[in-house]
Amino acid sequence: MRKLLLFTTLFIFTSFVNAQNPNIVFVLVDDLGYGDLGYTGAKDIPTPNIDQLANQGTKFTSAYAVHPFCGPSRMGLITGRYPHEFGAQFNLADNSSVTKGIPANQRMMSNMFQDAGYRTGLVGKWHLGSESQYHPNNRGFDDFYGFLYGGHRYFPAEYKAAYNGPNSWVYNHPLEHNGTIVTDDDEYITDELSHQGVRFINESVAANKPFFLFMSYNAPHSPLEAKTEDMNVDVIKDIANLDRRKYAAMVYAVDRGMKEIVDALKAKNVYNNTLIIFMSDNGGSLKFAANNGPLSGQKGDTLEGGFRVPTFFHWPNNVPAGVNYDYPITALDFYPTFAHLAGATIQPNKDLDGLNIWNHVVAGTNARNDNEIIMSVRHDNASNRVGIRRGDWKAYRLNNNQDWKLYNLKNDIGETTNLSATNPTILSELKSAGAFIVKDFAEPLWFHSTNAESAWNNNNMPNFEATFGEALSIDDENMFENSRFSFYPNPVKSKINFTINNANSNMSDVILYDLQGRIIQSIQNLKQDKNNSFTLQLLPNIPNGVYMAKVKNSKSVFAYRIVVSK
Ligand code: CA
């Protein structure tokens, strides 16, 4: 929500310092289906180690990736922003001639951890730029072992032979460690990555530093390549479909890696001071034998199966154990939440689209108020796929030629019954909230293919007018042209006044937002005191800080930054 944050450069936000400064191990798997873990319902994929961690932690049943594809999902996760806001809404093309990457001015959580005194490591997939200035070692990671592109093949003998042959596909590129090509990789890649995660943990403990480990497994992303021994374990060996059997074996290998990670944490006596997060970067691909369980849709969709993903937190004695957290959260929430846990400073010019959810997760309360949405937008050739979640409600549009649909996910997790006709106001509110966010989206800095680029240019994309209609045309063009508007005093103690030249209305609505876009106070139909002048009493419990006041009357919308200083 960049517009809301335009005026915030004076404000320095420092989270609470957590005395423990926990280690953080973030395990991101690639294209895992919502229903493809034991604890999420899989009967044909044994994941005992993942299940144990999940069941001893807090399981998020409504956790969302930022985007239903790999690259933009990761770009959102690591920057804490909708990637569309800085032109990163498409995958980087999977070829070694790509010269683009996340712009240097987009600060990553790895930078935040480094500045807070953490040792930072990335193991596995990057996919956020391969040139030097975009390389993980230049984007906040002290240690990087893995590959720079969108995926990789799994067996060293096969990818090394292919790379040295005519097929220089990036999935065959050599692995690297801090910019140096690795030659001694001789294990199935999931196992290799797990061992490297253990190495990083051991080195970090030896260095006596808190650490952030980003375990970025490419499994179970295609190509489907599994170890024979994993395909022959109980349950998996009975799967009739060969692709599903390979997929299950690939997930099983990740589960083995999770045990190695946990064993390493215990061996170094840091298990009790480590937050483990497990998540998938987007929904499973049905073409590659994933199962999204009760959810409709798959990777690439803005139905739930595209971006609602299996997710849990585990931290003994700090994260509630054995509970579900059913309120919606998004990967955008992790940057501010981790900053809170790490005692890190969020830079004054850092825009964030998520929330620090920590205290709500611990308390089991909703981190979002009744007005806050979680959204995913995927550009699809000449149109947009959109999903907007608020509370139990989900607004969905497949493309500009289909009508908006509205689902109540509490009763209808599979998105089967369209309730838009009976709840038009709710649909309208969700569309308006989504339109407010997409107005900040930027032109793409890159496309995953020349076809995608042609489609964008030939169809006047992003073409949000066709997607959001009237919701997009709500007049906020003059939100920041405040010449007809004044607000005083500023700083504000308890009462603020504003005047609107030619108010055209003797009533106004006023909404106060905090810097994360949360509504702090909302007043409907505030009456004029005298000519064009209004007085608003602030709620007594509003903390000192910087807020945005949005004032709306029948003709116009205005916004103003106010500083509350009591
Ligand atoms: Ca993915």
Short mmCIF file of all heavy atoms in Angstrom, two decimals, residues 321-363:
data_model
loop_
_atom_site.label_atom_id
_atom_site.label_comp_id
_atom_site.label_asym_id
_atom_site.label_seq_id
_atom_site.Cartn_x
_atom_site.Cartn_y
_atom_site.Cartn_z
N ALA A 321 1.33 -25.24 21.02
CA ALA A 321 1.52 -26.59 20.47
C ALA A 321 0.18 -27.28 20.28
O ALA A 321 -0.73 -27.16 21.10
CB ALA A 321 2.40 -27.41 21.40
N GLY A 322 0.07 -27.98 19.17
CA GLY A 322 -1.10 -28.80 18.95
C GLY A 322 -2.36 -28.02 18.64
O GLY A 322 -3.46 -28.50 18.91
N VAL A 323 -2.22 -26.86 18.07
CA VAL A 323 -3.41 -26.06 17.76
C VAL A 323 -3.41 -25.67 16.29
O VAL A 323 -2.37 -25.61 15.62
CB VAL A 323 -3.49 -24.78 18.63
CG1 VAL A 323 -3.50 -25.13 20.11
CG2 VAL A 323 -2.36 -23.82 18.31
N ASN A 324 -4.61 -25.41 15.80
CA ASN A 324 -4.78 -24.83 14.48
C ASN A 324 -4.98 -23.33 14.63
O ASN A 324 -5.67 -22.87 15.55
CB ASN A 324 -6.02 -25.39 13.78
CG ASN A 324 -5.78 -26.78 13.24
OD1 ASN A 324 -4.67 -27.30 13.27
ND2 ASN A 324 -6.84 -27.38 12.73
N TYR A 325 -4.39 -22.58 13.72
CA TYR A 325 -4.69 -21.14 13.61
C TYR A 325 -5.44 -20.98 12.30
O TYR A 325 -4.88 -21.16 11.22
CB TYR A 325 -3.39 -20.33 13.63
CG TYR A 325 -3.58 -18.82 13.63
CD1 TYR A 325 -3.63 -18.12 14.83
CD2 TYR A 325 -3.70 -18.11 12.44
CE1 TYR A 325 -3.79 -16.74 14.85
CE2 TYR A 325 -3.86 -16.74 12.44
CZ TYR A 325 -3.91 -16.05 13.65
OH TYR A 325 -4.07 -14.69 13.65
N ASP A 326 -6.73 -20.69 12.40
CA ASP A 326 -7.59 -20.70 11.20
C ASP A 326 -7.75 -19.33 10.55
O ASP A 326 -8.30 -19.23 9.46
CB ASP A 326 -8.97 -21.25 11.57
CG ASP A 326 -8.90 -22.71 12.00
OD1 ASP A 326 -8.09 -23.46 11.41
OD2 ASP A 326 -9.66 -23.11 12.91
N TYR A 327 -7.32 -18.27 11.22
CA TYR A 327 -7.46 -16.94 10.62
C TYR A 327 -6.48 -16.81 9.46
O TYR A 327 -5.40 -17.39 9.48
CB TYR A 327 -7.18 -15.85 11.65
CG TYR A 327 -8.08 -15.90 12.86
CD1 TYR A 327 -7.58 -16.25 14.11
CD2 TYR A 327 -9.44 -15.60 12.76
CE1 TYR A 327 -8.40 -16.30 15.23
CE2 TYR A 327 -10.26 -15.65 13.87
CZ TYR A 327 -9.74 -16.00 15.10
OH TYR A 327 -10.55 -16.06 16.21
N PRO A 328 -6.84 -16.03 8.46
CA PRO A 328 -5.94 -15.92 7.30
C PRO A 328 -4.65 -15.16 7.60
O PRO A 328 -4.67 -14.14 8.29
CB PRO A 328 -6.78 -15.19 6.26
CG PRO A 328 -7.97 -14.64 6.96
CD PRO A 328 -8.14 -15.36 8.24
N ILE A 329 -3.56 -15.69 7.11
CA ILE A 329 -2.26 -15.00 7.13
C ILE A 329 -1.66 -15.09 5.74
O ILE A 329 -2.11 -15.88 4.90
CB ILE A 329 -1.28 -15.57 8.16
CG1 ILE A 329 -0.84 -16.99 7.77
CG2 ILE A 329 -1.88 -15.58 9.57
CD1 ILE A 329 0.45 -17.44 8.44
N THR A 330 -0.64 -14.29 5.49
CA THR A 330 0.02 -14.31 4.19
C THR A 330 1.53 -14.32 4.39
O THR A 330 2.03 -13.86 5.43
CB THR A 330 -0.39 -13.08 3.33
OG1 THR A 330 0.60 -12.85 2.32
CG2 THR A 330 -0.50 -11.82 4.17
N ALA A 331 2.22 -14.82 3.40
CA ALA A 331 3.69 -14.80 3.44
C ALA A 331 4.22 -13.37 3.58
O ALA A 331 5.34 -13.17 4.02
CB ALA A 331 4.27 -15.46 2.19
N LEU A 332 3.40 -12.38 3.22
CA LEU A 332 3.82 -10.99 3.41
C LEU A 332 3.99 -10.65 4.88
O LEU A 332 4.66 -9.68 5.23
CB LEU A 332 2.77 -10.04 2.80
CG LEU A 332 2.56 -10.13 1.30
CD1 LEU A 332 1.33 -9.33 0.89
CD2 LEU A 332 3.79 -9.62 0.56
N ASP A 333 3.37 -11.44 5.74
CA ASP A 333 3.45 -11.16 7.19
C ASP A 333 4.80 -11.54 7.80
O ASP A 333 5.10 -11.12 8.92
CB ASP A 333 2.35 -11.93 7.94
CG ASP A 333 0.95 -11.48 7.56
OD1 ASP A 333 0.79 -10.33 7.12
OD2 ASP A 333 0.02 -12.31 7.70
N PHE A 334 5.58 -12.34 7.09
CA PHE A 334 6.76 -12.90 7.75
C PHE A 334 7.86 -11.85 7.95
O PHE A 334 8.58 -11.89 8.95
CB PHE A 334 7.28 -14.11 6.98
CG PHE A 334 6.33 -15.28 7.05
CD1 PHE A 334 6.08 -16.07 5.94
CD2 PHE A 334 5.67 -15.59 8.23
CE1 PHE A 334 5.21 -17.14 6.01
CE2 PHE A 334 4.78 -16.66 8.31
CZ PHE A 334 4.55 -17.42 7.19
N TYR A 335 8.02 -10.95 7.01
CA TYR A 335 9.08 -9.93 7.18
C TYR A 335 8.87 -9.14 8.48
O TYR A 335 9.76 -9.12 9.35
CB TYR A 335 9.11 -9.01 5.94
CG TYR A 335 10.30 -8.10 5.81
CD1 TYR A 335 11.13 -8.16 4.70
CD2 TYR A 335 10.60 -7.16 6.79
CE1 TYR A 335 12.22 -7.32 4.55
CE2 TYR A 335 11.69 -6.31 6.65
CZ TYR A 335 12.48 -6.39 5.53
OH TYR A 335 13.57 -5.55 5.39
N PRO A 336 7.71 -8.51 8.68
CA PRO A 336 7.56 -7.77 9.94
C PRO A 336 7.52 -8.67 11.18
O PRO A 336 7.98 -8.26 12.26
CB PRO A 336 6.23 -7.01 9.76
CG PRO A 336 5.52 -7.70 8.65
CD PRO A 336 6.58 -8.30 7.76
N THR A 337 7.03 -9.90 11.02
CA THR A 337 6.98 -10.81 12.17
C THR A 337 8.38 -11.24 12.58
O THR A 337 8.73 -11.25 13.76
CB THR A 337 6.12 -12.03 11.83
OG1 THR A 337 4.80 -11.58 11.49
CG2 THR A 337 6.03 -12.99 13.00
N PHE A 338 9.20 -11.57 11.59
CA PHE A 338 10.58 -11.98 11.89
C PHE A 338 11.38 -10.79 12.44
O PHE A 338 12.24 -10.95 13.32
CB PHE A 338 11.28 -12.52 10.64
CG PHE A 338 10.70 -13.81 10.14
CD1 PHE A 338 11.05 -14.30 8.87
CD2 PHE A 338 9.82 -14.56 10.91
CE1 PHE A 338 10.53 -15.49 8.40
CE2 PHE A 338 9.30 -15.76 10.44
CZ PHE A 338 9.64 -16.22 9.18
N ALA A 339 11.12 -9.60 11.92
CA ALA A 339 11.81 -8.42 12.44
C ALA A 339 11.51 -8.26 13.93
O ALA A 339 12.41 -7.96 14.73
CB ALA A 339 11.38 -7.17 11.67
N HIS A 340 10.28 -8.49 14.29
CA HIS A 340 9.87 -8.42 15.70
C HIS A 340 10.66 -9.44 16.52
O HIS A 340 11.23 -9.11 17.57
CB HIS A 340 8.37 -8.68 15.78
CG HIS A 340 7.85 -8.93 17.16
ND1 HIS A 340 7.69 -7.93 18.09
CD2 HIS A 340 7.48 -10.08 17.77
CE1 HIS A 340 7.23 -8.46 19.22
NE2 HIS A 340 7.10 -9.75 19.05
N LEU A 341 10.72 -10.67 16.03
CA LEU A 341 11.39 -11.73 16.80
C LEU A 341 12.89 -11.51 16.88
O LEU A 341 13.52 -11.83 17.89
CB LEU A 341 11.10 -13.09 16.16
CG LEU A 341 9.65 -13.56 16.24
CD1 LEU A 341 9.47 -14.84 15.43
CD2 LEU A 341 9.24 -13.80 17.69
N ALA A 342 13.45 -10.97 15.82
CA ALA A 342 14.91 -10.78 15.77
C ALA A 342 15.34 -9.49 16.47
O ALA A 342 16.53 -9.22 16.58
CB ALA A 342 15.38 -10.76 14.31
N GLY A 343 14.37 -8.71 16.91
CA GLY A 343 14.72 -7.41 17.48
C GLY A 343 15.34 -6.49 16.45
O GLY A 343 16.18 -5.66 16.75
N ALA A 344 14.90 -6.67 15.20
CA ALA A 344 15.51 -5.92 14.10
C ALA A 344 14.79 -4.59 13.89
O ALA A 344 13.63 -4.43 14.27
CB ALA A 344 15.45 -6.73 12.81
N THR A 345 15.48 -3.69 13.28
CA THR A 345 14.90 -2.40 12.92
C THR A 345 14.36 -2.47 11.50
O THR A 345 15.05 -2.96 10.60
CB THR A 345 15.97 -1.30 12.99
OG1 THR A 345 16.44 -1.24 14.33
CG2 THR A 345 15.40 0.04 12.58
N ILE A 346 13.14 -2.03 11.33
CA ILE A 346 12.61 -1.89 9.99
C ILE A 346 12.95 -0.49 9.50
O ILE A 346 12.66 0.50 10.16
CB ILE A 346 11.09 -2.14 9.96
CG1 ILE A 346 10.81 -3.61 10.32
CG2 ILE A 346 10.51 -1.80 8.59
CD1 ILE A 346 9.35 -3.96 10.41
N GLN A 347 13.61 -0.43 8.37
CA GLN A 347 14.10 0.85 7.86
C GLN A 347 12.95 1.82 7.66
O GLN A 347 11.85 1.43 7.26
CB GLN A 347 14.81 0.63 6.51
CG GLN A 347 15.94 -0.36 6.59
CD GLN A 347 17.13 0.18 7.35
OE1 GLN A 347 17.70 1.18 6.98
NE2 GLN A 347 17.48 -0.48 8.44
N PRO A 348 13.20 3.11 7.91
CA PRO A 348 12.10 4.08 7.82
C PRO A 348 11.48 4.18 6.43
O PRO A 348 10.31 4.53 6.30
CB PRO A 348 12.75 5.40 8.24
CG PRO A 348 14.21 5.16 8.20
CD PRO A 348 14.44 3.70 8.40
N ASN A 349 12.24 3.88 5.39
CA ASN A 349 11.67 3.98 4.04
C ASN A 349 11.24 2.62 3.50
O ASN A 349 10.99 2.47 2.31
CB ASN A 349 12.68 4.62 3.09
CG ASN A 349 13.96 3.80 3.00
OD1 ASN A 349 14.16 2.88 3.78
ND2 ASN A 349 14.81 4.15 2.06
N LYS A 350 11.14 1.61 4.38
CA LYS A 350 10.77 0.27 3.93
C LYS A 350 9.25 0.11 3.92
O LYS A 350 8.61 0.20 4.96
CB LYS A 350 11.40 -0.76 4.87
CG LYS A 350 10.96 -2.20 4.63
CD LYS A 350 11.40 -2.73 3.28
CE LYS A 350 10.91 -4.15 3.05
NZ LYS A 350 11.20 -4.61 1.68
N ASP A 351 8.70 -0.12 2.75
CA ASP A 351 7.27 -0.39 2.65
C ASP A 351 7.01 -1.86 2.92
O ASP A 351 7.76 -2.72 2.45
CB ASP A 351 6.77 -0.07 1.23
CG ASP A 351 6.75 1.42 0.96
OD1 ASP A 351 6.89 2.19 1.92
OD2 ASP A 351 6.59 1.78 -0.20
N LEU A 352 5.99 -2.15 3.66
CA LEU A 352 5.59 -3.53 3.93
C LEU A 352 4.09 -3.67 3.73
O LEU A 352 3.32 -2.78 4.09
CB LEU A 352 5.95 -3.91 5.37
CG LEU A 352 7.44 -4.08 5.69
CD1 LEU A 352 7.66 -4.19 7.19
CD2 LEU A 352 8.01 -5.29 4.97
N ASP A 353 3.69 -4.78 3.15
CA ASP A 353 2.27 -5.01 2.91
C ASP A 353 1.65 -5.98 3.91
O ASP A 353 0.44 -6.17 3.91
CB ASP A 353 2.05 -5.53 1.49
CG ASP A 353 2.33 -4.46 0.45
OD1 ASP A 353 1.96 -3.30 0.70
OD2 ASP A 353 2.93 -4.77 -0.59
N GLY A 354 2.47 -6.61 4.74
CA GLY A 354 1.93 -7.55 5.71
C GLY A 354 1.96 -6.99 7.12
O GLY A 354 2.26 -5.82 7.35
N LEU A 355 1.65 -7.85 8.07
CA LEU A 355 1.52 -7.46 9.47
C LEU A 355 2.44 -8.31 10.33
O LEU A 355 2.73 -9.46 10.01
CB LEU A 355 0.09 -7.69 9.95
CG LEU A 355 -1.04 -7.09 9.13
CD1 LEU A 355 -2.38 -7.58 9.65
CD2 LEU A 355 -0.96 -5.57 9.20
N ASN A 356 2.86 -7.74 11.43
CA ASN A 356 3.50 -8.55 12.47
C ASN A 356 2.40 -9.35 13.17
O ASN A 356 1.59 -8.80 13.91
CB ASN A 356 4.22 -7.64 13.47
CG ASN A 356 4.70 -8.40 14.69
OD1 ASN A 356 4.66 -9.64 14.74
ND2 ASN A 356 5.15 -7.67 15.68
N ILE A 357 2.36 -10.64 12.89
CA ILE A 357 1.25 -11.47 13.40
C ILE A 357 1.62 -12.19 14.71
O ILE A 357 0.81 -12.95 15.24
CB ILE A 357 0.84 -12.52 12.36
CG1 ILE A 357 2.01 -13.46 12.02
CG2 ILE A 357 0.28 -11.84 11.12
CD1 ILE A 357 1.61 -14.63 11.11
N TRP A 358 2.82 -11.95 15.22
CA TRP A 358 3.34 -12.81 16.28
C TRP A 358 2.40 -12.90 17.49
O TRP A 358 2.02 -13.99 17.93
CB TRP A 358 4.74 -12.36 16.72
CG TRP A 358 5.29 -13.31 17.73
CD1 TRP A 358 5.42 -13.12 19.07
CD2 TRP A 358 5.73 -14.65 17.47
NE1 TRP A 358 5.92 -14.24 19.67
CE2 TRP A 358 6.13 -15.20 18.71
CE3 TRP A 358 5.83 -15.44 16.32
CZ2 TRP A 358 6.61 -16.50 18.82
CZ3 TRP A 358 6.31 -16.72 16.44
CH2 TRP A 358 6.69 -17.24 17.68
N ASN A 359 2.06 -11.75 18.05
CA ASN A 359 1.26 -11.78 19.28
C ASN A 359 -0.10 -12.42 19.04
O ASN A 359 -0.66 -13.05 19.93
CB ASN A 359 1.11 -10.36 19.84
CG ASN A 359 2.44 -9.83 20.37
OD1 ASN A 359 3.32 -10.60 20.73
ND2 ASN A 359 2.59 -8.52 20.37
N HIS A 360 -0.62 -12.25 17.85
CA HIS A 360 -1.92 -12.86 17.54
C HIS A 360 -1.80 -14.37 17.39
O HIS A 360 -2.69 -15.12 17.80
CB HIS A 360 -2.51 -12.24 16.27
CG HIS A 360 -3.00 -10.85 16.48
ND1 HIS A 360 -4.18 -10.57 17.13
CD2 HIS A 360 -2.46 -9.65 16.15
CE1 HIS A 360 -4.36 -9.26 17.19
NE2 HIS A 360 -3.33 -8.69 16.60
N VAL A 361 -0.71 -14.82 16.81
CA VAL A 361 -0.51 -16.27 16.69
C VAL A 361 -0.39 -16.89 18.08
O VAL A 361 -1.00 -17.92 18.37
CB VAL A 361 0.75 -16.57 15.84
CG1 VAL A 361 1.07 -18.06 15.89
CG2 VAL A 361 0.53 -16.11 14.40
N VAL A 362 0.37 -16.25 18.93
CA VAL A 362 0.55 -16.77 20.28
C VAL A 362 -0.77 -16.77 21.04
O VAL A 362 -1.10 -17.71 21.77
CB VAL A 362 1.62 -15.94 21.03
CG1 VAL A 362 1.67 -16.32 22.51
CG2 VAL A 362 2.99 -16.15 20.38
N ALA A 363 -1.54 -15.71 20.85
CA ALA A 363 -2.80 -15.58 21.58
C ALA A 363 -3.96 -16.31 20.91
O ALA A 363 -5.02 -16.48 21.51
CB ALA A 363 -3.15 -14.10 21.73
#
